Amino acid sequence: MSGDGRESEGGEEEVRGARRIPGPRGAADDLDLESVPLPPLPPPGGNASGSASRNASAETVPEQAGAAEGRAAPDDAPDPSDTDAPEPLMTSAAPVLPHRVLQALLGAWALSACSAEETAAVEDHLTACAACADEALRLRDAVGLLHTDGSLDLDPTLRTRVIDGCLGRRPARIPVPEWAAPYDAETARLDALLRDIGDSEWHAPVRLQWFEEEHHVSRRTTVAGVIGHLLAVDGLLSAALGLDDPLGGGEVPLDPTERTETYWSADGPPATRAVREPWRAQSHELIRTASFAGRNVAETSVSYGAFALPLQDALLERSFECWVHGGDIADAVDYPYQDPSAAHLHRMIDLAARMLPAALAKRRRAGLAAPAKDLVTAGAPGRSLHLEIEGHGGGDWYIALDSPAAVGSPDRAVAQVALDGVELCRLVAGHISPVEAAAGQEGDREAIRDVLFATASLSRL
């Protein structure tokens, strides 16, 4: 073994076939190739072996050599002094390189960056040197990782898996309530999008869409305007928990649309990326307060003006809005944005299904839905529609058709609607109309129409 820890070339030949871990070595460019002995070039007109054979023949048979010297050259033989004569063909053998040079060429060989002669020399060497053969296999596997066709976007579940792994080793002293987890996840995903866009993209136009009565309504704003809208409506939850309302004190509207218009018409709110800081600080404060308040806070009533929701449902509704408007922003700035996790999407769909009987009753009072056909007492099973949600976050729900106080029952189902989970959420958000929803329908057509239109009426600014 040499002084630098590497075995000599002769030693390598003696332990040929033995498996060992190769030591560190320099790249091929770092070697002093001028010090490497190169094989002698063959003389013009033949190779080295042919010259050696002729020399041996001349020594052993002098008579033939003398006879050859005395024989006259033919007239058409080329004159060696003639510079116009064509050069004779040259043939070269594969270079004979020492072990350390071949070892340094393994990286270039794995990348297919060697010349033909070097490739031949390396591959001949790999058939005889087990250590280099193992190293070559490892390098070829590493090169395969450099040519992946996978997406460069992060897995949307990466954050959840990392947090779960950390909490599995050291659980949080005060964990985030399970019912607040969707809001925590969706605000974090939207914040990651906002951190990744440039200053000019905060002024990109965004068109918000929702459904009113029997037709679509839209409003044009910017990315900063969307975050201002989320900040203003999230203030309803802040006020319910005793936190500061972003619209200030005094008489402030409770209706989400009126709150948004009030915020947009004010002179003070920033219309640039500066709006991200107060929105993110408010979402953090909501999650922190809900976590420290304990279980009883989940039933705290949050008023939206025309209706009210318990805090756990209000946070779920805000997580749905955060995801929907995150998608609106992503479309405006051409940014990839994934759907929520299956568990969180299932919770959002469940909230929409629980709100449908009240929405259906409201449309019936306004004369927009068919009258009730079979009223029952509160808590009793009534006529129902089977809502079958397929795919991501799917499940089965039974929607009471005649009274919000009735209980949906599979035994009294008169119709069935099958929808994809994300498609249903797009309908709830008002991004598609009821007639555009790709739904499988069976049973009472009037009940199906009323439920689809009631689903779209859940949308708002």
Side-chain angles (χ1 to χ4, degrees), residues 10-375:
E12 186 69 21
E13 296 297 331
E14 293 174 1
V15 295
R16 179 176 299 168
R19 300 177 63 86
R20 66 178 181 85
I21 300 176
R25 57 186 182 277
D29 293 341
D30 297 334
L31 296 176
D32 185 8
L33 296 180
E34 295 181 357
S35 63
V36 178
L38 298 177
L41 293 175
N47 53 29
S49 60
S51 300
S53 299
R54 286 193 298 272
N55 292 338
S57 300
E59 292 176 0
T60 54
V61 191
E63 298 85 356
Q64 295 179 2
E69 292 175 358
R71 188 177 302 120
D75 295 338
D76 58 350
D79 186 357
S81 62
D82 187 1
T83 57
D84 295 333
E87 296 183 0
L89 294 176
M90 301 288 292
T91 59
S92 60
V96 179
L97 301 177
H99 178 267
R100 65 190 184 95
V101 176
L102 294 169
Q103 199 174 30
L105 287 173
L106 290 179
W109 172 84
L111 291 168
S112 301
C114 289
S115 65
E117 293 78 7
E118 291 172 339
T119 300
V122 170
E123 292 178 352
D124 287 343
H125 178 67
L126 294 181
T127 61
C129 181
C132 289
D134 290 343
E135 179 71 7
L137 288 176
R138 285 193 292 269
L139 291 173
R140 269 291 166 89
D141 291 340
V143 169
L145 299 176
L146 301 176
H147 298 285
T148 177
D149 295 329
S151 174
L152 297 179
D153 298 322
L154 292 179
D155 184 352
T157 64
L158 177 61
R159 178 178 183 272
T160 302
R161 288 191 283 112
V162 171
I163 293 177
D164 290 344
C166 295
L167 295 179
R169 291 170 174 79
R170 191 188 68 177
R173 184 172 62 87
I174 301 178
V176 175
E178 185 179 359
W179 44 267
Y183 181 75
D184 184 25
E186 292 308 314
T187 52
R189 290 206 308 136
L190 178 56
D191 187 54
L193 184 157
L194 299 177
R195 287 175 177 271
D196 208 26
I197 63 177
D199 292 339
S200 62
E201 291 176 307
W202 281 82
H203 303 284
V206 180
R207 184 169 294 279
L208 303 180
Q209 304 178 57
W210 66 97
F211 193 79
E212 286 185 0
E213 295 183 353
E214 305 294 330
H215 58 278
H216 263 111
V217 179
S218 64
R219 175 69 183 270
R220 185 184 177 91
T221 183
T222 63
V223 172
V226 174
I227 301 304
H229 162 61
L230 293 175
L231 174 68
V233 181
D234 284 356
L236 293 172
L237 282 68
S238 297
L241 290 174
L243 304 174
D244 293 336
D245 191 329
L247 296 186
E251 293 294 331
V252 293
L254 295 177
D255 181 74
T257 301
E258 294 179 6
R259 288 180 64 87
T260 301
E261 295 291 352
T262 301
Y263 183 87
W264 283 346
S265 61
D267 296 331
T272 61
R273 71 162 54 246
V275 72
R276 188 191 71 84
E277 291 293 341
W279 167 76
R280 192 63 177 126
Q282 178 179 255
S283 64
H284 277 145
E285 191 65 24
L286 284 173
I287 296 169
R288 186 182 303 110
T289 304
S291 301
F292 277 87
R295 297 181 179 179
N296 295 332
V297 74
E299 299 300 326
T300 301
S301 178
V302 178
S303 175
Y304 286 75
F307 63 97
L309 291 174
L311 180 62
Q312 57 183 350
D313 286 345
L315 276 176
L316 189 57
E317 185 269 339
R318 299 314 302 151
S319 67
F320 176 81
E321 288 285 319
C322 190
W323 163 47
V324 169
H325 291 317
D328 293 335
I329 293 173
D331 291 341
V333 299
D334 195 20
Y335 191 95
Y337 206 67
Q338 301 295 327
D339 298 327
S341 67
H344 293 171
L345 187 61
H346 183 87
R347 287 172 173 267
M348 297 175 189
I349 295 172
D350 179 71
L351 175 62
R354 288 188 281 115
M355 295 176 68
L356 273 177
L360 187 56
K362 180 180 178 181
R363 285 180 57 82
R364 184 176 290 120
R365 290 192 298 269
L368 300 174
K373 295 182 179 180
D374 186 13
L375 295 175

Side-chain angles (χ1 to χ4, degrees), residues 419-433:
L419 267 172
D420 177 76
V422 176
E423 187 80 356
L424 175 71
C425 290
R426 293 182 64 205
L427 181 60
V428 173
H431 283 201
I432 59 173
S433 68

